Amino acid sequence: MLRRLFLTLAIATSALAINGAAWADITILVPSGTEGDGLRAAADDYGKLKGTKVEAVQAPYANVFEQGANAGATKSGVFDIILMDDPWIPFFAENGHLEDLTAYFKKAGMEGPDSDFLSKSLAVCRNPYNTGPYVCLPYVGNAQMFFYDAAKYKEAGVDAPKTWDDVLKASKKLTENGGGRYFGYVFRGGQGNPVVADFMPIFWSYGADMFNADRTKVTIDTPEGAAAMKTFMALRDVSPKGVESYNANEVGTALAAGTAASSINWPNYVATFEDPTQSKMVGKISYSPIPAGTKPGSSEIGHWTMGIMSASKNKQEAFDFMMWATSPEQIKVSALRGNPPVRTSVFTDPELTSQEKFRHYPVLMEAIQASTPRPRHPKWPEIENAFGIELSKAVAGTITPEEALKSSQEAVSRITNLY
């Protein structure tokens, strides 16, 4: 159910007083979880600093997309800013729901965001990807990393896993010795976003992709896709029973409890693993880039980005807030609140990197810069759901891996009208 948080602050700024303007009301749609919590806290800070009346509306992941899409389609203007998962950007931009930020940067005397942002963090904020105008600004620097228990891996004869073969070698031994209580690997196999998020880095590491280079053909059911699926099924076989229903929380719980040795996961779980009140594995989990298959490993990038809704009645005020919230100082504050950064200066800040809880920052910055975006298609949510249903069936064993690739190829071809 949608939860509303009203942050109403009655301090007028001198600029507003001078201009004789009414208070600016900024309404922000944010997801539940640490990403949304961080921006809600920033909105509170901004209100106290600027005297702007801010309302942050929080909703579960899927509901953020649905409510944002509805607001865009109806041009209601109910939201000024939406905090988006980056694969949603083509849908919102190509349906005219997002404001082109070019004119706002020019008014501020800038060509675009400054160069302290990581280049891959900026690339996802342009539509088309990396070439079009900016339609949002990066706020939360998510990209997947490989998490593993270094001591357990060493026991299994693998020091630092570089390839998926290394991971399988260690995981098979650990699961065999675990007696059904300890597993070498764990992954998200739940339908839709969960299983797709865990499969895509493996898919890419075997040279596979969902579309050909010019996006004129679906290319899921290929020899490269089959090689990736073979590894994915082998990882399932060394994972706990029931992973076909697992999401990120179940994976994080297994690692934190010390009942699984490795997985792909998102950086926001680092705080859980390093918290002695939530984890038995404090200081014991190592972080590395995604392992290689036949090609170098590549993380799925999953940035949360802020865009201005085109129907907003407070566009300049929204842009001003976004510029403030993504400044180096505020991105550092956001990092201290638990969100991974998007700026080089914050990733390399000695005050942060000297702390044990931020020891993963060099790996995460490398992972972002080597990351791959999910296919930039306006129908991505529908594509992801269809692909994720077939993958999850394969994980559950109700269809064969070959059938999953074939049916995924057919489903995505129907959705995109590419045959």
Side-chain angles (χ1 to χ4, degrees):
M1 180 179 286
L2 180 64
R3 294 190 290 121
R4 290 180 176 271
L5 174 68
F6 294 92
L7 303 174
T8 306
L9 301 149
I11 306 171
T13 63
S14 58
L16 289 174
I18 290 170
N19 294 326
W23 286 342
D25 295 324
I26 302 173
T27 304
I28 309 171
L29 178 61
V30 303
S32 304
T34 56
E35 300 89 356
D37 290 344
L39 193 54
R40 286 169 57 202
D44 193 9
D45 294 343
Y46 189 77
K48 292 173 183 176
L49 179 68
K50 301 290 187 179
T52 299
K53 180 182 177 183
V54 180
E55 179 183 344
V57 178
Q58 194 166 28
Y61 178 90
N63 288 0
V64 173
F65 178 85
E66 291 167 2
Q67 293 193 36
N70 182 63
T74 60
K75 302 187 185 304
S76 66
V78 65
F79 305 119
D80 298 296
I81 295 172
I82 179 172
L83 186 61
M84 297 172 289
D85 197 0
D86 68 72
W88 300 348
I89 293 169
F91 170 85
F92 281 94
E94 293 174 31
N95 282 289
H97 302 336
L98 291 178
E99 191 78 356
D100 182 336
L101 301 181
T102 303
Y104 299 90
F105 280 116
K106 286 185 177 179
K107 186 175 179 181
M110 304 168 65
E111 291 299 314
D114 66 76
S115 61
D116 184 42
F117 286 103
L118 297 181
S119 59
K120 284 292 183 75
S121 299
L122 291 181
V124 296
C125 289
R126 306 178 76 169
N127 197 68
Y129 175 78
N130 200 35
T131 60
Y134 287 99
V135 292
C136 54
L137 289 174
Y139 186 64
V140 178
N142 274 343
Q144 296 161 322
M145 299 183 292
F146 187 73
F147 295 59
Y148 68 103
D149 182 335
K152 287 289 188 181
Y153 260 61
K154 193 169 184 178
E155 286 177 17
V158 176
D159 285 334
K162 301 294 184 184
T163 68
W164 287 112
D165 286 342
D166 292 338
V167 174
L168 284 169
K169 176 184 174 182
S171 297
K172 286 177 181 177
K173 287 184 179 180
L174 293 169
T175 298
E176 286 170 4
N177 296 334
R181 296 180 301 276
Y182 188 85
F183 301 90
Y185 197 81
V186 60
F187 68 76
R188 295 189 291 167
Q191 291 188 0
N193 172 267
V195 70
V196 173
D198 270 33
F199 181 67
M200 292 305 285
I202 299 171
F203 194 56
W204 292 323
S205 72
Y206 284 89
D209 211 339
M210 188 169 282
F211 300 98
N212 61 352
D214 60 1
R215 299 287 170 87
T216 58
K217 184 179 179 182
V218 179
T219 54
I220 295 171
D221 190 9
T222 62
E224 294 82 4
M229 183 67 84
K230 181 179 178 181
T231 292
F232 200 55
M233 292 298 101
L235 291 169
R236 176 204 61 183
D237 293 342
V238 293
S239 293
K241 299 298 182 185
V243 288
E244 64 270 17
S245 65
Y246 275 29
N247 204 332
N249 285 340
E250 288 79 11
V251 172
T253 297
L255 286 177
T259 59
S262 56
S263 78
I264 293 171
N265 217 321
W266 296 101
N268 59 307
Y269 277 90
V270 171
T272 298
F273 300 146
E274 303 300 339
D275 180 353
T277 67
Q278 303 182 69
S279 173
K280 296 180 179 179
M281 299 298 294
V282 175
K284 297 179 181 179
I285 293 182
S286 294
Y287 311 102
S288 73
I290 299 297
T294 56
K295 303 288 183 181
S298 180
S299 303
E300 180 180 280
I301 194 168
H303 277 27
W304 285 92
T305 67
M306 282 189 282
I308 301 173
M309 298 294 288
S310 57
S312 166
K313 299 175 179 62
N314 304 293
K315 294 176 183 177
Q316 184 61 53
E317 292 84 357
F319 180 78
D320 293 344
F321 171 80
M322 284 167 39
M323 289 291 284
W324 173 86
T326 60
S327 67
E329 297 79 12
Q330 293 306 314
I331 291 296
K332 182 175 178 179
V333 171
S334 178
L336 289 166
R337 286 170 170 158
N339 281 325
V342 290
R343 287 180 170 274
T344 301
S345 62
V346 181
F347 268 118
T348 58
D349 189 317
E351 184 183 343
L352 300 182
T353 56
S354 62
Q355 298 181 48
E356 184 71 9
K357 65 181 178 179
F358 296 116
R359 62 186 169 88
H360 65 290
Y361 268 19
V363 172
L364 178 55
M365 186 164 71
E366 178 185 348
I368 292 173
Q369 291 294 60
S371 65
T372 300
R374 280 157 280 189
R376 299 279 290 200
H377 195 286
K379 292 185 177 180
W380 173 251
E382 188 178 352
I383 292 168
E384 181 181 56
N385 184 61
F387 192 27
I389 288 172
E390 302 307 320
L391 287 174
S392 191
K393 288 178 183 176
V395 173
T398 59
I399 62 174
T400 67
E402 294 77 16
E403 288 170 338
L405 290 173
K406 183 175 184 293
S407 56
S408 295
Q409 174 90 14
E410 293 170 351
V412 175
S413 295
R414 284 194 301 271
I415 293 167
T416 59
N417 293 315
L418 298 174
Y419 292 97

